[in-house]
Amino acid sequence: MSKTNFEFLDALGQIAREKGISVDTLLDALANALVAAYKRRPGAAEEAVVTIDPESGEIRVYGQELDENGEVVREWDDTPADFGRIAAQTAKQVILQRIREAERDLKYEEYAGREGDIVTGIVQQTDNRYTLLDLGKVEALLPQAEQVPFERYEHGARLKAYIVEVRKTTKGPQIVVSRSHPGLVKRLFELEVPEISAGVVEIKAMAREPGHRTKVAVWSNDPNVDPVGACVGARGSRVRMIINELRGERIDVVPFSTDPATFIQAALQPARVREVRLDEEQGVATVVVGDYQLSLAIGKEGQNVRLANRLTGWRIDIKSESQVAAEEAGEGEDWAEGEWVQTESGDMVWQPADGSAALSAAEWDAAASSVSDEAESAVPADAPERDSSEAPAEVPGQAAGSEGGSA
């Protein structure tokens, strides 16, 4: 083996060890590149093969003649006199290309199959279409569709995001992340609540309106562990960390129950429910609340009942005690019969059964007040007036009335 060939093989071996590429892979790639370089020379054979001796590093080019079946009928040594110089130039290009490909493959393998994980990145670039996050070795793409409405990402800010897709491209892995996916909230709970990561507490259901509010139903596999208290933490410390990461998004943690009526009652917190009537065939739950709790149960623009619908899987129809009493007495107005439906804009409106114009929550509340005097006997004499005590718990994220939650 000549000194040049020895240095060539030694360099290949060192590159292979540093970059995690086998020597055989490099030699095969180099041989294919040398065939292409040979065919560009004047007078080159139409078919040729290049061999590289892995022991000596000697490079030979053999021209070939093939028959109609593609079988080699004649072969001769057609190694050009100056092929060593061409081989050196080609080897450099091939090795650099293979190194880039290997590095791209390693980066892809690092993130392949990690859909559903949470990553922390630094905001590098943002525009109307997407935001780029620097994850260290690679960049992640946060498209507009996966962003939280009205959330702004400042350059250099640290941000947690949820991996929704890992694509393999010619330029390396493209990692698509989300800030609006419900999985982000779940992963944040797993990071902040040891009982969840240990499997003692489970998240059974979740409903989210990104940037506004999320309802989380939790269950404990240990009767000695309060699931709501574990998720909220002492003085709300755990859930507050999640709220801060979500930039103020409100979180209601409620206890999960296998009993639909109990679960629906918990899902409508912070409102207090008087009665739940289930129609299992239709999948409809009629919920009766005090007159003073109606607006709280429906929520701003119907948000509370809308999230409760999605959390429980039941279509929830909320009625006040006055309305129920009027219906039972046959004294209700035409609008008293109907159901709460969700509009295209996401608002909850009362659709009267007679097909007349739908009523917003405020209009329905006003109409209900007009018959409340006639059904006064249906309202407990000691029913408290609506005041700040009916507002959500003082600690953000803990629904009022949650069992076991820490204040």
Side-chain angles (χ1 to χ4, degrees), residues 198-239:
V200 178
V201 174
E202 294 182 39
I203 295 178
K204 288 290 191 178
M206 181 181 297
R208 185 185 184 199
E209 293 194 354
H212 299 286
R213 190 173 183 179
T214 295
K215 283 184 179 286
V216 182
V218 292
W219 170 270
S220 177
N221 295 312
D222 185 342
N224 297 318
V225 176
D226 170 28
V228 175
C231 293
V232 172
R235 298 184 180 276
S237 57
R238 290 176 175 175
V239 77

Side-chain angles (χ1 to χ4, degrees), residues 21 27 51 140 253 263 277 312 340 345 357 406:
I21 311 170
L27 289 176
T51 63
V253 181
F263 187 27
R277 304 172 184 174
T312 62
W340 287 102
S345 62
S406 301

